[in-house]
mmCIF file of all heavy atoms in Angstrom:
data_model
loop_
_atom_site.group_PDB
_atom_site.id
_atom_site.type_symbol
_atom_site.label_atom_id
_atom_site.label_comp_id
_atom_site.label_asym_id
_atom_site.label_seq_id
_atom_site.Cartn_x
_atom_site.Cartn_y
_atom_site.Cartn_z
ATOM 1 N N ILE A 1 0.779 -1.268 0.024
ATOM 2 C CA ILE A 1 -0.087 -0.049 -0.030
ATOM 3 C C ILE A 1 0.853 1.264 0.012
ATOM 4 O O ILE A 1 0.416 2.378 -0.241
ATOM 5 C CB ILE A 1 -0.998 0.040 1.173
ATOM 6 C CG1 ILE A 1 -0.357 -0.070 2.524
ATOM 7 C CG2 ILE A 1 -2.076 -1.060 1.023
ATOM 8 C CD1 ILE A 1 -1.174 0.114 3.717
ATOM 9 N N SER A 2 2.134 1.154 0.329
ATOM 10 C CA SER A 2 3.024 2.233 0.204
ATOM 11 C C SER A 2 4.461 1.664 0.102
ATOM 12 O O SER A 2 4.660 0.451 0.190
ATOM 13 C CB SER A 2 2.969 3.234 1.437
ATOM 14 O OG SER A 2 3.469 2.578 2.560
ATOM 15 N N GLU A 3 5.442 2.534 0.039
ATOM 16 C CA GLU A 3 6.860 2.040 -0.036
ATOM 17 C C GLU A 3 7.305 1.295 1.212
ATOM 18 O O GLU A 3 8.184 0.397 1.051
ATOM 19 C CB GLU A 3 7.798 3.172 -0.278
ATOM 20 C CG GLU A 3 7.758 3.724 -1.761
ATOM 21 C CD GLU A 3 7.955 2.655 -2.778
ATOM 22 O OE1 GLU A 3 8.882 1.842 -2.710
ATOM 23 O OE2 GLU A 3 7.122 2.575 -3.711
ATOM 24 N N SER A 4 6.683 1.557 2.324
ATOM 25 C CA SER A 4 7.023 0.876 3.538
ATOM 26 C C SER A 4 5.963 0.097 4.206
ATOM 27 O O SER A 4 6.250 -0.375 5.349
ATOM 28 C CB SER A 4 7.587 1.931 4.463
ATOM 29 O OG SER A 4 6.578 2.840 4.809
ATOM 30 N N ALA A 5 4.842 -0.138 3.580
ATOM 31 C CA ALA A 5 3.701 -0.848 4.248
ATOM 32 C C ALA A 5 2.994 -1.798 3.398
ATOM 33 O O ALA A 5 2.922 -1.598 2.219
ATOM 34 C CB ALA A 5 2.678 0.162 4.794
ATOM 35 N N ILE A 6 2.567 -2.902 4.008
ATOM 36 C CA ILE A 6 1.719 -3.949 3.343
ATOM 37 C C ILE A 6 0.345 -3.836 3.966
ATOM 38 O O ILE A 6 0.318 -3.963 5.265
ATOM 39 C CB ILE A 6 2.353 -5.303 3.514
ATOM 40 C CG1 ILE A 6 3.771 -5.322 2.899
ATOM 41 C CG2 ILE A 6 1.474 -6.413 2.865
ATOM 42 C CD1 ILE A 6 3.924 -5.211 1.414
ATOM 43 N N GLY A 7 -0.670 -3.795 3.222
ATOM 44 C CA GLY A 7 -2.021 -3.792 3.738
ATOM 45 C C GLY A 7 -2.447 -5.241 3.930
ATOM 46 O O GLY A 7 -2.243 -6.093 3.066
ATOM 47 N N SER A 8 -3.096 -5.461 5.041
ATOM 48 C CA SER A 8 -3.607 -6.882 5.362
ATOM 49 C C SER A 8 -5.049 -6.706 5.776
ATOM 50 O O SER A 8 -5.478 -5.863 6.520
ATOM 51 C CB SER A 8 -2.770 -7.572 6.386
ATOM 52 O OG SER A 8 -2.730 -6.765 7.625
ATOM 53 N N ALA A 9 -5.844 -7.614 5.157
ATOM 54 C CA ALA A 9 -7.302 -7.625 5.508
ATOM 55 C C ALA A 9 -7.855 -8.994 5.169
ATOM 56 O O ALA A 9 -7.368 -9.758 4.376
ATOM 57 C CB ALA A 9 -7.938 -6.561 4.608
ATOM 58 N N PHE A 10 -9.106 -9.266 5.675
ATOM 59 C CA PHE A 10 -9.828 -10.426 5.373
ATOM 60 C C PHE A 10 -10.356 -10.263 3.911
ATOM 61 O O PHE A 10 -10.581 -9.052 3.499
ATOM 62 C CB PHE A 10 -10.954 -10.691 6.368
ATOM 63 C CG PHE A 10 -10.530 -11.125 7.682
ATOM 64 C CD1 PHE A 10 -10.490 -10.183 8.817
ATOM 65 C CD2 PHE A 10 -10.032 -12.376 7.909
ATOM 66 C CE1 PHE A 10 -10.030 -10.551 9.998
ATOM 67 C CE2 PHE A 10 -9.498 -12.758 9.184
ATOM 68 C CZ PHE A 10 -9.618 -11.902 10.212
ATOM 69 N N ASP A 11 -10.549 -11.300 3.235
ATOM 70 C CA ASP A 11 -11.130 -11.306 1.938
ATOM 71 C C ASP A 11 -12.621 -11.178 2.029
ATOM 72 O O ASP A 11 -13.360 -12.087 1.513
ATOM 73 C CB ASP A 11 -10.654 -12.442 1.123
ATOM 74 C CG ASP A 11 -11.036 -12.292 -0.368
ATOM 75 O OD1 ASP A 11 -11.239 -11.201 -0.897
ATOM 76 O OD2 ASP A 11 -10.989 -13.416 -1.070
ATOM 77 N N ALA A 12 -13.137 -10.197 2.749
ATOM 78 C CA ALA A 12 -14.495 -10.078 3.062
ATOM 79 C C ALA A 12 -14.820 -8.627 3.414
ATOM 80 O O ALA A 12 -13.924 -7.835 3.808
ATOM 81 C CB ALA A 12 -14.920 -10.986 4.233
ATOM 82 N N CYS A 13 -16.093 -8.225 3.277
ATOM 83 C CA CYS A 13 -16.525 -6.835 3.475
ATOM 84 C C CYS A 13 -17.750 -6.798 4.431
ATOM 85 O O CYS A 13 -18.467 -7.776 4.444
ATOM 86 C CB CYS A 13 -16.941 -6.293 2.107
ATOM 87 S SG CYS A 13 -17.859 -4.724 2.120
ATOM 88 N N GLU A 14 -17.772 -5.811 5.211
ATOM 89 C CA GLU A 14 -18.946 -5.763 6.198
ATOM 90 C C GLU A 14 -20.239 -5.555 5.425
ATOM 91 O O GLU A 14 -21.340 -6.021 5.955
ATOM 92 C CB GLU A 14 -18.778 -4.450 7.081
ATOM 93 C CG GLU A 14 -17.681 -4.653 8.107
ATOM 94 C CD GLU A 14 -17.558 -3.469 9.052
ATOM 95 O OE1 GLU A 14 -18.438 -2.666 9.108
ATOM 96 O OE2 GLU A 14 -16.537 -3.411 9.768
ATOM 97 N N LEU A 15 -20.213 -4.969 4.254
ATOM 98 C CA LEU A 15 -21.457 -4.792 3.458
ATOM 99 C C LEU A 15 -21.813 -5.962 2.539
ATOM 100 O O LEU A 15 -22.941 -6.374 2.427
ATOM 101 C CB LEU A 15 -21.286 -3.467 2.617
ATOM 102 C CG LEU A 15 -21.021 -2.217 3.343
ATOM 103 C CD1 LEU A 15 -20.793 -1.015 2.444
ATOM 104 C CD2 LEU A 15 -22.067 -1.911 4.340
ATOM 105 N N CYS A 16 -20.840 -6.548 1.908
ATOM 106 C CA CYS A 16 -21.107 -7.579 0.891
ATOM 107 C C CYS A 16 -20.704 -8.992 1.413
ATOM 108 O O CYS A 16 -20.909 -9.861 0.639
ATOM 109 C CB CYS A 16 -20.259 -7.289 -0.450
ATOM 110 S SG CYS A 16 -20.810 -5.781 -1.213
ATOM 111 N N GLY A 17 -20.222 -9.112 2.612
ATOM 112 C CA GLY A 17 -19.891 -10.429 3.180
ATOM 113 C C GLY A 17 -18.659 -11.036 2.556
ATOM 114 O O GLY A 17 -17.711 -10.383 2.241
ATOM 115 N N ALA A 18 -18.698 -12.371 2.377
ATOM 116 C CA ALA A 18 -17.480 -13.107 2.001
ATOM 117 C C ALA A 18 -17.255 -13.226 0.470
ATOM 118 O O ALA A 18 -16.601 -14.172 0.048
ATOM 119 C CB ALA A 18 -17.525 -14.437 2.648
ATOM 120 N N GLU A 19 -17.908 -12.436 -0.303
ATOM 121 C CA GLU A 19 -17.729 -12.476 -1.746
ATOM 122 C C GLU A 19 -16.321 -12.330 -2.187
ATOM 123 O O GLU A 19 -15.749 -13.043 -3.051
ATOM 124 C CB GLU A 19 -18.614 -11.451 -2.535
ATOM 125 C CG GLU A 19 -20.057 -11.667 -2.394
ATOM 126 C CD GLU A 19 -20.569 -13.047 -2.985
ATOM 127 O OE1 GLU A 19 -20.036 -13.391 -4.013
ATOM 128 O OE2 GLU A 19 -21.370 -13.640 -2.358
ATOM 129 N N GLY A 20 -15.579 -11.422 -1.517
ATOM 130 C CA GLY A 20 -14.225 -11.228 -1.754
ATOM 131 C C GLY A 20 -13.811 -10.170 -2.845
ATOM 132 O O GLY A 20 -14.752 -9.423 -3.225
ATOM 133 N N TYR A 21 -12.594 -10.147 -3.133
ATOM 134 C CA TYR A 21 -12.076 -9.120 -3.982
ATOM 135 C C TYR A 21 -11.132 -9.691 -5.107
ATOM 136 O O TYR A 21 -10.631 -10.780 -4.903
ATOM 137 C CB TYR A 21 -11.222 -8.119 -3.159
ATOM 138 C CG TYR A 21 -12.036 -7.370 -2.123
ATOM 139 C CD1 TYR A 21 -12.301 -7.958 -0.848
ATOM 140 C CD2 TYR A 21 -12.572 -6.180 -2.321
ATOM 141 C CE1 TYR A 21 -12.980 -7.336 0.022
ATOM 142 C CE2 TYR A 21 -13.419 -5.568 -1.368
ATOM 143 C CZ TYR A 21 -13.550 -6.144 -0.143
ATOM 144 O OH TYR A 21 -14.353 -5.567 0.818
ATOM 145 N N TYR A 22 -10.968 -8.939 -6.107
ATOM 146 C CA TYR A 22 -9.999 -9.301 -7.081
ATOM 147 C C TYR A 22 -9.322 -8.052 -7.639
ATOM 148 O O TYR A 22 -9.773 -6.870 -7.397
ATOM 149 C CB TYR A 22 -10.614 -10.079 -8.366
ATOM 150 C CG TYR A 22 -11.570 -9.155 -9.216
ATOM 151 C CD1 TYR A 22 -11.183 -8.560 -10.355
ATOM 152 C CD2 TYR A 22 -12.903 -9.024 -8.785
ATOM 153 C CE1 TYR A 22 -12.026 -7.772 -11.057
ATOM 154 C CE2 TYR A 22 -13.740 -8.206 -9.509
ATOM 155 C CZ TYR A 22 -13.366 -7.633 -10.678
ATOM 156 O OH TYR A 22 -14.169 -6.791 -11.514
ATOM 157 N N GLN A 23 -8.170 -8.313 -8.332
ATOM 158 C CA GLN A 23 -7.441 -7.059 -8.894
ATOM 159 C C GLN A 23 -7.656 -7.059 -10.364
ATOM 160 O O GLN A 23 -7.530 -8.023 -11.073
ATOM 161 C CB GLN A 23 -5.963 -7.210 -8.601
ATOM 162 C CG GLN A 23 -5.129 -6.077 -8.936
ATOM 163 C CD GLN A 23 -3.685 -6.040 -8.445
ATOM 164 O OE1 GLN A 23 -3.225 -7.087 -7.983
ATOM 165 N NE2 GLN A 23 -3.037 -4.970 -8.514
ATOM 166 N N SER A 24 -7.865 -5.862 -10.864
ATOM 167 C CA SER A 24 -8.001 -5.544 -12.291
ATOM 168 C C SER A 24 -7.107 -4.360 -12.533
ATOM 169 O O SER A 24 -7.316 -3.273 -12.185
ATOM 170 C CB SER A 24 -9.429 -5.240 -12.659
ATOM 171 O OG SER A 24 -9.537 -4.934 -14.030
ATOM 172 N N GLY A 25 -5.913 -4.674 -13.241
ATOM 173 C CA GLY A 25 -4.955 -3.530 -13.430
ATOM 174 C C GLY A 25 -4.417 -2.988 -12.135
ATOM 175 O O GLY A 25 -4.030 -3.759 -11.255
ATOM 176 N N ALA A 26 -4.517 -1.750 -11.939
ATOM 177 C CA ALA A 26 -4.161 -1.091 -10.705
ATOM 178 C C ALA A 26 -5.226 -0.942 -9.678
ATOM 179 O O ALA A 26 -5.110 -0.154 -8.726
ATOM 180 C CB ALA A 26 -3.525 0.242 -10.968
ATOM 181 N N SER A 27 -6.359 -1.569 -9.924
ATOM 182 C CA SER A 27 -7.523 -1.502 -8.959
ATOM 183 C C SER A 27 -7.808 -2.778 -8.312
ATOM 184 O O SER A 27 -7.674 -3.836 -8.833
ATOM 185 C CB SER A 27 -8.773 -1.039 -9.801
ATOM 186 O OG SER A 27 -8.542 0.152 -10.383
ATOM 187 N N VAL A 28 -8.295 -2.713 -7.029
ATOM 188 C CA VAL A 28 -8.878 -3.844 -6.344
ATOM 189 C C VAL A 28 -10.384 -3.568 -6.333
ATOM 190 O O VAL A 28 -10.896 -2.524 -6.056
ATOM 191 C CB VAL A 28 -8.326 -3.948 -4.936
ATOM 192 C CG1 VAL A 28 -8.982 -5.024 -4.080
ATOM 193 C CG2 VAL A 28 -6.853 -4.285 -5.023
ATOM 194 N N ILE A 29 -11.172 -4.642 -6.777
ATOM 195 C CA ILE A 29 -12.585 -4.554 -6.915
ATOM 196 C C ILE A 29 -13.320 -5.603 -6.117
ATOM 197 O O ILE A 29 -12.894 -6.768 -6.010
ATOM 198 C CB ILE A 29 -12.866 -4.896 -8.488
ATOM 199 C CG1 ILE A 29 -12.006 -4.070 -9.397
ATOM 200 C CG2 ILE A 29 -14.400 -4.627 -8.819
ATOM 201 C CD1 ILE A 29 -12.321 -2.640 -9.500
ATOM 202 N N CYS A 30 -14.461 -5.210 -5.511
ATOM 203 C CA CYS A 30 -15.361 -6.063 -4.818
ATOM 204 C C CYS A 30 -16.102 -7.010 -5.755
ATOM 205 O O CYS A 30 -16.624 -6.520 -6.870
ATOM 206 C CB CYS A 30 -16.382 -5.273 -4.007
ATOM 207 S SG CYS A 30 -17.615 -6.405 -3.180
#
């Protein structure tokens, strides 16, 4: 997420549940 940090999270959202995320180019998408 930056030059000195790694973002860590569950592959789940409070709104959409456990559907998860994927990457498309430079974007992360629900």
Side-chain angles (χ1 to χ4, degrees):
I1 59 171
S2 74
E3 285 307 311
S4 61
I6 302 292
S8 57
F10 291 103
D11 192 21
C13 167
E14 289 181 16
L15 303 173
C16 295
E19 294 297 320
Y21 299 84
Y22 68 95
Q23 186 170 12
S24 178
S27 299
V28 172
I29 312 286
C30 174

